[in-house]
């Protein structure tokens, strides 16, 4: 433990009424004190060791020569000649502002966690209570989170440390080019923070706010206040004023609809007749395009009705044959690529109706996910608020009637789009958003410091500079919204805080410029279409432009682990991205291995930091990899967490899974919709444990409403095991059982 000594000759201001002169020292400096009322910060200018009262909150760094030191009761300034860096400190109420300025490119380690700290509060997605003594957290931090980018990996640019009955928070007011790193042995995890000054930001200061509070949410609440004070906070009600359709998000469950083919299994009403036709001279052109396995199955069943599993595979083969029969009459390099895709969808439906109509249900009912029967069933089940989206926009083109019905039913209907990665033709042509003109793929690729182009997602193609892509993205989004008849959009990556320095000789730009370009693209969408926009995560750097975000309630974890993503014999395997209409990766239940079960899902390791900042600014849900049903072992815990934090449920759905999944959708809708309707425009202001072990937790909202979740296996007071109680400001008491 570091205990900063009170060196002889130290200048100490006893109270703010005392007027202190300037203390000028050459070559060395004593620890100095800044004080306002009872709040005392002690700082060593040589090592940047900082204490609040007698409590060290930042361990000393390597000693620096100090010159030009000036010190008053509430501020101090000095210069580090070896680093060519000016340091300025200013005292506020219960807080200390630190400002570092240099014109010299350098990596600057400015923070080291004091050894007595054993608990951190980190905004890993929604928020995590990190016990540095817990072996699961030690494994996770050292094995997978050893280096964190504070504008992307942390959803808020801050962390808090629990010390001496206080919550000491570090807010990075300069959120870009920062790294938080963990190292050491499993029994002694260390943490440091560093900032990189480079050619893109070396004339911009690193600004940090050190804040001392009592509540575990105090750091997040202070950050919210900072955003409000600096004009960077936009309430959801203001966003809805700009985009009135956003009102439909209030209380809405989020649903991804799967299947891009024209036909669902249930659309075939005469299997024997279809099989005979396809094997006749009239069906030969389609027969030749059906895969070998499909032809063998049809030859085997002859005039019998195929088994259900055979029907599914035959429908997939038939859809592929129909699509293959009508190729897209354009390439990504052509300006009419999207209209050509819409024309292809219409031609496929015409071909199916002309050639296969006698064996199929009426064409108005066709579709695997987005379809009129599914929309009708959801509406008749009593779900008035839904956000619906497709994985590919060709599904929207294929089901224009269903899109219109969804909007008529009061739903939001969207699709997935992105402008972050571009891949060459032939790599994965079904990855529609990555089909970018070749010239843009080459000219807009981000160039790394070593001179090579930055590989794109999954090491395919290149990552793109959003500023360079702005004009193209505006054109394609405009076409997509019009051709798809959409009233919402999910724009991937732009909400993640993902930024990169681009050393391209034609368009060099820093990380801050990347974030600004992403925000500019989203702001253009908002002002142009005035429709609800969502993205991944909703990081603080991008939250101002978003109405909803996917990824804070359950975040992606275990990326690339063989036993989760590749080994099909593993008990932890998440599933294949197949079949297209119902990928096992999204639909099949999966188990959660350690350390993820503890660090991601144990409610005692969770804290609503993100909601304390943004609950009334945007609507949060899960990363789409893990909808409400994916992780069966923690399903109830996740539902209770969403209820406690008042965040939206999410489901994957198609016609084949509707009967099994609809009861689950209705169950969580009964929790979320009434609570969110009451609380969507209220700030989350308080959080605490009601029992010593942390199994019973409470959130408080700005109107006085209180939600209590009992995650335990036993009743607490009159709240049943795994139950939820909401006491709303209007006097209603709502009880739910997990």
């Amino acid at each position: 433990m570091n205990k900063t000594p009170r060196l002889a000759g130290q200048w100490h201001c006893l109270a703010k009424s005392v007027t202190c002169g300037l203390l000028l020292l050459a070559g060395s400096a004593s620890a100095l004190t800044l004080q306002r009322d009872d709040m005392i910060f002690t700082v060593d200018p040589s090592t940047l060791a900082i204490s609040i009262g007698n409590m060290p909150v930042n361990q000393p760094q390597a000693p620096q020569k100090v010159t030009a030191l000036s010190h008053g009761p509430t501020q101090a300034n000095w210069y580090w000649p070896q680093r060519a860096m000016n340091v300025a400190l200013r005292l506020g109420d219960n807080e200390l502002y630190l400002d570092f300025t240099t014109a010299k490119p350098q990596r600057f380690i400015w923070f080291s966690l004091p050894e007595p700290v054993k608990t951190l509060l980190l905004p890993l997605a929604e928020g995590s209570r990190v016990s540095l003594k817990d072996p699961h957290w030690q494994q996770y931090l050292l094995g997978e989170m050893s280096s964190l980018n504070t504008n992307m990996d942390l959803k808020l640019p801050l962390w808090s440390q629990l010390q001496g009955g206080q919550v000491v928070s570090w807010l990075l007011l300069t959120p870009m080019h920062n790294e938080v790193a963990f190292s050491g042995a499993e029994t002694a995890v260390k943490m440091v923070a560093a900032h990189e000054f480079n050619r893109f930001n070396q004339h911009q200061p690193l600004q940090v706010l050190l804040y001392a509070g009592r509540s575990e949410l105090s750091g997040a609440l202070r950050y919210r206040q900072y955003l409000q004070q600096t004009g960077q906070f936009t309430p959801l009600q203001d966003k809805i004023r700009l985009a009135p359709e956003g009102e439909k998000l209030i209380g809405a469950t989020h649903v991804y609809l799967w299947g891009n083919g024209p036909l669902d299994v249930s659309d075939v009403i005469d299997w024997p007749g279809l099989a005979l036709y396809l094997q006749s001279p009239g069906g030969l052109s389609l027969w030749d395009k059906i895969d070998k396995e499909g032809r063998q199955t049809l030859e085997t069943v002859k005039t019998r009705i195929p088994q259900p599993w055979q029907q599914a595979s035959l429908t997939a083969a038939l859809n592929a044959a129909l699509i293959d029969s009508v190729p897209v009459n354009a390439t990504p390099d052509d300006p009419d690529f999207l209209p050509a895709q819409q024309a292809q969808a219409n031609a496929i439906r015409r071909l199916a109706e002309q050639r296969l109509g006698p064996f199929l249900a009426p064409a108005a009912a066709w579709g695997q996910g987005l379809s009129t029967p599914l929309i009708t069933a959801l509406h008749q089940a009593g779900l008035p608020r839904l956000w619906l989206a497709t994985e590919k926009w060709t599904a929207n083109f294929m089901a224009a009637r269903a899109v219109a019905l969804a909007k008529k039913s009061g739903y939001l209907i969207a699709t997935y789009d992105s402008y972050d990665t571009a891949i060459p033709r032939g790599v994965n042509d079904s990855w529609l958003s990555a089909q970018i003109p070749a010239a843009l793929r080459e000219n807009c690729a981000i160039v790394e410091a070593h001179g090579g182009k930055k590989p794109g997602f999954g090491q395919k193609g290149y990552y793109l500079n959003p500023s360079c892509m702005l004009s193209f993205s505006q054109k394609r989004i405009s076409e997509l919204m019009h051709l798809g008849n959409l009233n919402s959009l999910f724009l991937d990556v732009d909400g993640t805080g993902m930024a990169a320095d681009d050393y391209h000789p034609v368009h060099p730009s820093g990380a801050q410029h990347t974030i600004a370009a992403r925000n500019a693209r989203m702001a253009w969408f908002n002002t142009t279409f005035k429709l609800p926009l969502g993205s991944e995560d909703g990081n603080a750097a991008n939250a101002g432009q978003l109405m909803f975000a996917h990824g804070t309630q359950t975040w992606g974890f275990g990326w690339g682990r063989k036993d989760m993503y590749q080994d099909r014999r593993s008990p932890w395997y998440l599933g294949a991205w197949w079949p297209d209409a119902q990928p096992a990766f999204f639909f099949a239940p999966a188990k959660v291995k350690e350390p993820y079960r503890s660090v991601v899902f144990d409610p005692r390791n969770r804290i609503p930091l993100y909601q304390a900042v943004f609950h009334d600014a945007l609507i949060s849900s899960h990363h789409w990899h893990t909808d409400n049903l994916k992780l069966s072992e923690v399903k109830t815990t996740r539902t209770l967490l969403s209820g406690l934090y008042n965040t939206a449920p999410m489901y994957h759905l198609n016609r084949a899974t509707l009967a099994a999944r609809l009861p689950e959708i209705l169950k969580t809708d009964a929790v979320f919709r009434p609570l969110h309707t009451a609380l969507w425009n209220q700030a989350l202001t308080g959080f605490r444990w009601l029992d010593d072990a942390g199994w019973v937790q409470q959130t408080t909202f700005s109107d006085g409403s209180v939600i209590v979740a009992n995650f335990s296996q036993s009743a607490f007071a009159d709240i049943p095991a795994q139950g939820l109680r909401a006491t709303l400001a209007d006097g209603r008491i709502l009880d739910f059982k997990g």
Side-chain angles (χ1 to χ4, degrees):
M1 180 191 306
N2 172 64
K3 293 184 179 179
T4 305
R6 292 180 176 269
L7 301 178
Q10 173 184 338
W11 190 278
H12 183 44
C13 298
L14 298 177
K16 67 177 182 178
S17 60
V18 178
T19 302
C20 297
L22 297 178
L23 178 65
L24 302 176
L25 299 178
S28 64
S30 302
L32 53 85
T33 298
L34 303 177
Q35 178 173 346
R36 173 169 288 158
D37 297 327
D38 295 330
M39 179 57 64
I40 301 174
F41 291 87
T42 304
V43 184
D44 184 341
S46 174
T47 65
L48 205 62
I50 302 175
S51 295
I52 299 178
N54 294 319
M55 180 177 66
V57 296
N58 184 18
Q59 297 238 61
Q61 309 302 315
Q64 296 288 319
K65 181 180 180 180
V66 177
T67 63
L69 174 67
S70 66
H71 170 211
T74 61
Q75 61 183 9
N77 300 272
W78 65 83
Y79 184 68
W80 284 330
Q82 293 162 286
R83 286 195 171 274
M85 183 176 292
N86 288 294
V87 183
L89 274 57
R90 175 172 59 87
L91 194 62
D93 293 330
N94 298 325
E95 57 195 24
L96 179 67
Y97 292 85
L98 298 89
D99 191 301
F100 306 92
T101 308
T102 181
K104 177 183 177 181
Q106 58 183 293
R107 184 174 185 271
F108 171 43
I109 297 177
W110 59 271
F111 172 83
S112 296
L113 187 69
E115 292 179 4
V117 177
K118 299 304 179 185
T119 302
L120 290 172
L121 305 178
L122 290 177
L124 299 173
E126 175 59 57
S128 299
R129 177 184 282 102
V130 178
S131 171
L132 298 178
K133 298 186 295 183
D134 183 274
H136 295 305
W137 275 114
Q138 292 165 355
Q139 178 186 353
Y140 188 57
L141 292 177
L142 298 177
E144 299 185 38
M145 307 296 268
S146 58
S147 177
L148 300 176
N149 177 311
T150 63
N151 53 276
M152 181 177 175
D153 299 322
L154 298 183
K155 306 313 172 190
L156 308 169
L158 60 88
W159 68 87
S160 299
Q161 51 205 50
L162 305 188
Q163 286 185 263
Q166 287 190 298
V167 180
V168 178
S169 301
W170 300 87
L171 283 58
L172 304 178
L173 307 186
T174 305
M176 304 295 135
H177 293 101
N178 297 307
E179 177 193 30
V180 171
F182 296 94
S183 63
E186 290 188 353
T187 56
V189 176
K190 299 180 180 179
M191 170 185 167
V192 299
H195 181 79
E196 181 188 4
F197 291 96
N198 63 21
R199 59 174 281 193
F200 298 110
N201 73 334
Q202 64 195 48
H203 297 293
Q204 301 167 2
L206 165 62
Q207 297 178 317
V208 179
L209 173 60
L210 171 58
Y211 179 72
R214 295 290 179 182
S215 161
E216 290 188 339
L217 296 184
S218 58
L221 294 173
R222 180 63 185 91
Y223 181 66
R224 172 188 170 94
Q225 184 185 46
Y226 164 77
L227 293 177
Q228 293 171 324
Q229 292 170 336
T230 55
Q232 300 179 69
F233 184 89
T234 306
L236 183 57
Q237 59 188 9
D238 289 352
K239 297 174 183 178
I240 290 175
R241 289 191 188 99
L242 175 64
E245 286 284 279
E247 189 270 340
K248 295 176 181 177
L249 286 169
I250 299 171
T253 294
H254 294 221
V255 179
Y256 279 98
L257 302 175
W258 286 83
N260 302 295
L263 301 176
D264 185 64
V265 170
S266 56
D267 293 328
V268 181
I269 59 175
D270 182 2
W271 279 105
L274 176 62
L276 287 173
Y277 168 75
L278 290 171
Q279 296 174 72
S280 71
L284 187 60
S285 60
L286 280 175
W287 176 263
D288 288 342
K289 292 185 179 299
I290 294 175
D291 60 37
K292 182 180 179 180
E293 182 180 351
R295 293 198 301 268
Q296 290 176 341
T297 302
L298 288 168
E299 289 171 343
T300 300
V301 300
K302 295 183 180 179
T303 59
R304 290 182 288 108
I305 297 176
Q307 295 295 317
W309 64 269
Q310 292 175 316
Q311 293 180 22
S313 63
L314 286 173
T315 303
L318 187 58
N319 279 333
L322 288 166
I323 293 170
D324 192 37
S325 299
V326 187
V328 179
N329 191 27
T331 74
D333 293 314
D334 296 322
D336 61 342
F337 188 44
L338 254 65
Q341 291 174 1
Q342 185 190 50
Q344 179 201 34
N346 292 333
I348 289 169
R349 290 184 65 92
R350 287 195 301 270
L351 176 65
E353 194 163 13
Q354 292 166 1
R355 303 287 295 279
L356 307 178
F359 317 107
L360 305 177
W366 293 355
Q368 296 174 302
L370 179 58
S371 60
T372 55
L374 184 142
I375 300 298
T376 300
L378 293 173
H379 189 67
Q380 290 179 346
L383 293 166
R385 296 287 177 103
L386 292 171
W387 179 86
L388 306 172
T390 58
E391 175 232 357
K392 293 185 177 72
W393 55 70
T394 49
N396 301 72
F397 296 164
M398 195 77 72
R401 288 189 183 94
V403 171
L405 181 60
K407 295 170 70 174
K408 183 179 179 181
S409 301
Y411 300 154
L412 293 169
I413 178 69
T415 193
Y416 169 99
D417 193 13
S418 179
Y419 298 89
D420 205 60
T421 292
I423 59 176
R425 292 187 68 190
V427 172
N428 181 358
D429 291 346
S430 66
W431 185 359
L432 295 183
S433 68
Q435 307 300 309
I436 303 293
L440 288 178
R441 185 179 71 246
E442 297 298 326
N443 297 335
C444 292
I446 292 173
V447 174
E448 299 183 285
H450 56 69
K453 293 179 178 177
K454 186 176 179 66
F457 181 78
Q459 301 300 301
K460 301 293 193 300
Y462 303 129
Y463 275 121
L464 305 172
N465 185 312
S467 180
C468 181
M469 290 294 297
L470 184 58
S471 177
F472 174 80
S473 62
Q474 290 175 343
K475 177 181 181 297
R476 194 172 82 179
I477 289 172
S478 295
E479 288 184 333
L480 184 56
M481 298 301 293
H482 172 68
L483 297 174
N485 191 24
L486 308 177
N487 60 358
S488 181
L489 183 67
F490 184 85
L491 190 57
D492 200 18
V493 182
D494 277 6
T496 64
M498 183 174 175
D501 294 326
D502 185 0
Y503 290 83
H504 197 291
V506 177
H507 49 74
S509 58
Q512 185 66 45
H513 186 80
T514 302
I515 292 296
R518 294 193 188 283
N519 285 335
R521 176 158 54 208
M522 293 188 288
W524 167 83
F525 177 90
N526 291 332
T527 56
T528 301
F529 296 98
K530 297 180 173 59
L531 292 171
L533 177 66
S535 186
E536 187 178 357
D537 291 349
N539 284 41
N542 307 114
Q545 301 300 331
L546 295 170
M547 283 194 175
F548 63 95
H550 297 163
T552 53
Q553 288 315 294
T554 306
W555 68 94
F557 56 89
W559 297 106
R561 289 191 63 103
K562 183 178 179 180
D563 57 354
M564 294 172 60
Y565 288 86
Q566 300 173 35
D567 184 359
R568 297 182 180 225
R569 296 171 298 178
S570 166
W572 318 113
Y573 182 57
L574 295 175
W577 284 59
W578 184 89
D580 289 343
Q582 194 175 319
F585 184 86
F586 293 94
F587 282 84
K591 294 182 177 181
V592 187
K593 65 179 298 184
E594 293 290 7
Y596 312 115
R597 182 161 184 153
S598 292
V599 302
V600 180
F601 299 110
D602 189 326
R604 297 168 298 175
N605 290 333
R606 299 287 293 265
I607 180 171
L609 299 176
Y610 187 87
Q611 296 307 313
V613 179
F614 290 120
H615 177 266
D616 57 337
L618 58 80
I619 298 165
S620 300
S621 189
H622 308 291
H623 192 285
W624 77 323
H625 284 185
T626 48
D627 79 337
N628 274 57
L629 297 177
K630 178 64 182 177
L631 306 173
S632 53
E633 296 172 305
V634 292
K635 183 183 74 170
T636 299
T637 294
R638 295 174 70 208
T639 298
L640 291 174
L641 281 168
S642 291
L644 182 66
Y645 299 168
N646 196 217
T647 59
M650 175 188 288
Y651 291 92
H652 295 295
L653 192 64
N654 61 10
R655 286 173 70 183
T657 59
L658 177 62
R661 291 182 164 233
L662 184 56
E664 295 285 349
I665 296 173
L666 291 170
K667 184 177 180 180
T668 53
D669 173 80
V671 180
F672 175 67
R673 183 156 48 92
L675 291 183
H676 196 245
T677 301
L679 300 174
W680 68 274
N681 59 350
Q682 303 299 314
L684 191 156
T685 56
F687 172 80
R688 67 190 182 106
W689 289 359
L690 298 185
D691 66 334
D692 293 337
W695 290 113
V696 186
Q697 302 180 9
Q698 174 184 291
T699 51
T700 306
F701 295 82
S702 53
D703 67 347
S705 296
V706 174
I707 301 177
V708 177
N710 179 6
F711 296 95
S712 76
Q713 299 297 322
S714 303
F716 178 85
D718 55 350
I719 301 176
Q722 298 191 319
L724 189 85
R725 168 165 293 180
T727 304
L728 300 179
D730 61 11
R732 286 181 294 160
I733 298 177
L734 305 178
D735 289 310
F736 305 98
K737 184 71 171 67

